Structure formats: C-alpha cells, structure tokens
Amino acid sequence: MFSGFPAFFVLYLLVQCPLLYAQGSANSTQAFLNAYDQGNIEQLVSQGLLAMEAEDFPEAERIFLEAMQVAKVNYGLSSKEQRIPLRHAIEAQLSQGKFEQAENHLTYFEWLNDEIYTRDFYAYLEGTELLSELLLKASADANNPLGVRYLIAAKNLNWRAVSGIEATLGEDNIQLTPWLYNIVLAHYYQSSLVKNSSVISYVHRSEDDEEINGFTLTMGESLRISYRIGAELLNRIADIYAATEEVPAESLALVQIYQADWEMLFGNETSALELYTDSYNQLLANGFGPEQANRVFARPTVLPATTLATSLEAFADEDQGPVRFHAWTPNYPATHLPSEEVAINSNAGAEFMALVKFTLHPLLPAGLMSNDRIIPLGFNVDDLEVISATPDNDLVRQRALYEVSLLQFRPRIKDGAPVVIEDVRLEYLFPPQYNVLSVSTN
C-alpha cells in the first residue's frame, strides 16, 4: 500500500494520521462543549436580564431557555442550577402574556423542586420560595385568566413547605413561622379577591392533572373561612415563639400585634383592642419603658404588614418622613406589594404616584363602653388631600383619593390607649399595571 515511500516516512504516517484525526475531532468536540460551558450560564442570564430591561421579552425568553439547556448539560436533568434561568424564562413568558407556556414551565419547576427535595432539603426550601414568588406574580397579573388558581397554588405550595419542615425539623421549629405567615397573607389576598365578587369558585386538579370543578362559596362563607384559618395560624406562630428559647424577650408581645392586626382586618375591633393593649402591657412587663413600647405603634402601618417583625429594632422611628405604600395590583386592592420579586414587569408604578396627607381618627366601636365612656379604637382616614401627583392631573388625584381611602391602618397606641395621628404623609405608588388609559375614577 505504501510502496515507493521510504520506510521511515511510512512509519511517520502511521503514527501521525491517527493523531491528526484525533486532534480534528477534539477541536470539533471542544467547539461543541464551549457552547455549553458552565460559565455561559451566568453570562446568558446577564444577557437575558438586559433584554428584559429593554422589554425585548421574546429575546429574553430565548436566552433564558438556552441557559437552562447549558445547566442541564453541565449539571444534570434535575439540577438546581436550572432554577434561576427557568425563573426568568417564566417571567419573560408572563410579560408576553404566554400563560400556557408559563404554566407548563411552572409545572416543570415544581417537578424539578420535588426532585431536589430528596437530595438537599434547604435547596428545596429555596426553590419553594422562588416558585411561590412566581405563582404570586402570575396571580397578580390582571390579564391572566388563571390568576385565582395561581394564588391557591402558591398557598398550597407554602403548606407543602410547612409539612416538609415539620417532618425534617419538628412541629415547633421556629423556621416554620415565616412560611405560616405567608399562608396567612395568602388568605388575606384571597379575601381581597372575594370582596370584589359575591361568590368564589375553587378549581382542583386530580391525580391525572385534570381540572375538577370544586364548590362555590358565598362571600361571607369564604371570608369566615379565611379569617378562621389566618387566626389559627397566627395562634400557632405565637405558640412556637412561646416555646422557643433564645428569642428576643419582646417577640411574643410583638407577634400578638399581628394577631390584633388580623382582627382589625376582619372587623373584630373589640378583640383587636384587647390584643393591642395586652401587647403594650407585655412590653412593659418585659422591662421596656413606655417610650420604647409607644415606639412600636408610633409610625402608621398599612395592614397587613408584609413580614413578621419580632424585635424592637425592626420598628422604624416616628420621624422617618412620609410612609411609602407601593400598591401591588388591581387584583388585590389596598394591598402592599409583598416584595420586588413579585412585582409585575413594568415601570408604570414609578410613573404614577401621589403624595397625600390625612388625619387618622379613632373609630367608635359598639359595645366598648365603661361608665358611659366610649373607648376609641382603630382609625378612619379624615381630611384626606393630595399634596402632589405624578402626572399632576385630576384623574390621578381623584384616583389617589379613592385608593388611599381603602387602606386600613394599625392603631397608634400611646400609653396603652389608641390616639389620633395628625398630618400623616403617605407616598402612594399606583399598581405597576396602571397606564394613562387604566387610571380612572371608576
């Protein structure tokens, strides 16, 4: 075959040809692998986020899905490294109104997180938090026809996290408390939805993933159920703090404030007053002076608070300027944006805002009379006026007056009794879905 060639040259070809072929194959393989290099995940996510900022949502979705594939190649089909690009891909799909595709990826996210649970419990909790935020974001989209179902799914997801913590860490572990409070908030969001309609319908899914029509509740029945479950969960949070060592001395008294808030939200003024007053007295009994105890109630707080604060350091001073309230969505009127992670993708919230001032007057609940003296409780917004608005027109001003009037506030307790708060300044940011056409006085 090699006749006519020097023997040494034939030997050279026999040795070098396989090496040259192997080198060419290696270069092709290396080029393929470079496209799926681990470092590409972070780069792709950064590129996708830039596309999101530019509101090029189709391109952002494509980039994030590519980053997911890179994560699968490098870390495996059930790797937790997929979650960040998957999360952003779902956000890009929601921004485009691609609700069917988003739901498919939300289902995949849940499967992926369940797979992670068997390997890394705390990674599972992190994933549960991410997925819960995505579900809340989806539920807040006024254009999403499945909004209610996503809210219920977020609530059920938090229940599953609670069950996992109970099984892994114990039924009295303090790590349960933020998850339990998330469920309390979900029931408030649900009650907010119910108040805008006379009935609420539930849709369940069978084991075969088929939709089954559930039962229909009247508004009163649904509100009673949400109130009862929220009250029970807040009682459980209080029990967990009472049984936990090495927590701040004031924790139990502060948790009781959230129990009182819940009573206020559902119109139970008598119970609320008793709890607020008892919380104040507990702070004094724990060695805090009246000035420190009064500070807890000094700053106007819109209900419900988005997080549990169980130490005095978490409460703001009275002189910190205007209260800032960022409305979340028209789906949940008079509800504060829970966190930036669940905000709808829009800058409109910064474009539509109003600075208002008002006085919070104690209300006069029935049945709270002692020696013909009525004990005031709660607050009613009075003397409400708009100081400035952006854009400054009658449409925005009138809408601000209406929406601020819907807010419910924690009473200011001073020396154990509710008092008037005058000249309250509040910076109201409208829901981010608002635009020139949707801001109206209707």
Side-chain angles (χ1 to χ4, degrees):
M1 180 177 179
F2 295 104
S3 59
F5 287 93
F8 76 89
F9 187 67
V10 173
L11 180 62
Y12 173 82
L13 289 176
L14 291 174
V15 173
Q16 290 297 322
C17 283
L19 293 176
L20 291 172
Y21 176 79
Q23 184 177 357
S25 300
N27 289 337
S28 299
T29 303
Q30 188 64 37
F32 172 78
L33 291 177
N34 283 343
Y36 292 92
D37 186 78
Q38 293 181 12
N40 284 348
I41 300 175
E42 186 175 344
Q43 293 177 358
L44 288 169
V45 169
S46 297
Q47 293 173 15
L49 291 175
L50 289 175
M52 290 286 284
E53 290 180 9
E55 298 188 355
D56 188 353
F57 302 121
E59 176 65 7
E61 178 188 0
R62 183 195 67 78
I63 294 172
F64 291 134
L65 291 177
E66 182 180 342
M68 277 182 59
Q69 295 304 316
V70 176
K72 289 179 182 179
V73 169
N74 283 279
Y75 298 102
L77 295 177
S78 62
S79 58
K80 65 181 181 181
E81 285 76 12
Q82 298 175 62
R83 294 187 309 199
I84 297 302
L86 174 58
R87 168 193 176 184
H88 293 310
I90 294 171
E91 291 172 338
Q93 291 167 340
L94 291 173
S95 298
Q96 299 172 77
K98 298 170 69 171
F99 299 118
E100 184 176 351
Q101 293 90 331
E103 182 170 11
N104 290 336
H105 278 103
L106 286 166
T107 301
Y108 175 72
F109 199 132
E110 185 173 5
W111 169 85
L112 178 63
N113 209 44
D114 288 343
E115 291 293 306
I116 293 171
Y117 177 68
T118 61
R119 305 192 304 268
D120 188 335
F121 175 67
Y122 286 100
Y124 161 78
L125 291 181
E126 292 173 1
T128 300
E129 186 174 4
L130 290 175
L131 181 55
S132 178
E133 290 169 351
L134 284 169
L135 290 168
L136 287 178
K137 176 178 287 191
S139 79
D141 192 330
N143 298 316
N144 190 345
L146 302 176
V148 176
R149 195 172 83 184
Y150 287 134
L151 174 62
I152 303 301
K155 182 177 65 176
N156 292 339
L157 191 66
N158 279 275
W159 273 119
R160 292 180 63 187
V162 167
S163 297
I165 295 172
E166 289 174 337
T168 306
L169 305 177
E171 296 185 355
D172 295 325
N173 192 281
I174 201 166
Q175 292 190 45
L176 285 165
T177 57
W179 297 96
L180 293 172
Y181 192 66
N182 285 343
I183 300 172
V184 172
L185 291 176
H187 275 282
Y188 173 76
Y189 304 148
Q190 184 173 311
S191 69
S192 180
L193 281 175
V194 172
K195 289 177 183 178
N196 291 325
S197 62
S198 58
V199 297
I200 183 169
S201 298
Y202 289 88
V203 177
H204 305 278
R205 283 192 172 273
S206 69
E207 293 181 356
D208 299 324
D209 201 33
E210 296 178 352
E211 289 190 356
I212 301 175
N213 290 325
F215 55 91
T216 300
L217 298 174
T218 65
M219 179 178 69
E221 290 171 331
S222 180
L223 291 177
R224 282 192 291 272
I225 290 173
S226 287
Y227 162 74
R228 176 180 55 79
I229 295 175
E232 290 174 354
L233 293 175
L234 287 165
N235 287 338
R236 183 177 177 188
I237 290 172
D239 290 341
I240 290 173
Y241 271 94
T244 303
E245 299 179 356
E246 299 181 359
V247 295
E250 68 271 23
S251 293
L252 194 56
L254 297 179
V255 168
Q256 194 163 295
I257 292 175
Y258 296 90
Q259 294 176 288
D261 291 345
W262 193 249
E263 300 296 329
M264 283 290 293
L265 287 168
F266 286 86
N268 301 321
E269 293 91 353
T270 304
S271 299
L273 177 61
E274 293 173 352
L275 288 166
Y276 283 129
T277 302
D278 190 54
S279 174
Y280 175 86
N281 290 331
Q282 282 191 46
L283 289 171
L284 297 182
N286 284 324
F288 298 99
E291 182 178 352
Q292 291 174 297
N294 287 333
R295 172 186 158 194
V296 172
F297 301 93
R299 189 165 175 81
T301 300
V302 181
L303 302 181
T306 56
T307 56
L308 281 170
T310 56
S311 66
L312 286 181
E313 288 74 16
F315 286 81
D317 291 329
E318 186 177 2
D319 58 351
Q320 282 193 339
V323 177
R324 187 177 178 88
F325 180 87
H326 193 166
W328 183 12
T329 167
N331 285 5
Y332 307 125
T335 300
H336 202 297
L337 176 68
S339 68
E340 290 298 328
E341 285 72 25
V342 302
I344 304 300
N345 292 317
S346 172
N347 294 322
E351 297 172 2
F352 290 90
M353 58 186 295
L355 178 63
V356 302
K357 74 172 183 176
F358 50 87
T359 299
L360 291 175
H361 283 294
L363 298 175
L364 305 178
L368 284 178
M369 300 184 64
S370 176
N371 298 325
D372 297 326
R373 181 174 65 87
I374 297 178
I375 303 175
L377 170 67
F379 285 98
N380 187 26
V381 175
D382 198 9
D383 302 324
L384 176 60
E385 65 175 281
V386 177
I387 299 174
S388 62
T390 305
D392 197 348
N393 59 52
D394 289 340
L395 210 60
V396 174
R397 284 174 171 263
Q398 290 300 317
R399 191 67 193 182
L401 291 174
Y402 171 72
E403 296 200 9
V404 172
S405 70
L406 299 177
L407 302 180
Q408 291 182 268
F409 291 85
R410 177 183 295 159
R412 179 176 183 178
I413 305 295
K414 186 174 183 180
D415 300 331
V419 296
V420 174
I421 311 180
E422 296 180 341
D423 195 26
V424 177
R425 304 291 175 108
L426 183 141
E427 191 176 58
Y428 187 90
L429 281 70
F430 287 94
Q433 297 97 324
Y434 273 18
N435 53 45
V436 175
L437 297 177
S438 64
V439 175
S440 69
T441 56
N442 293 332

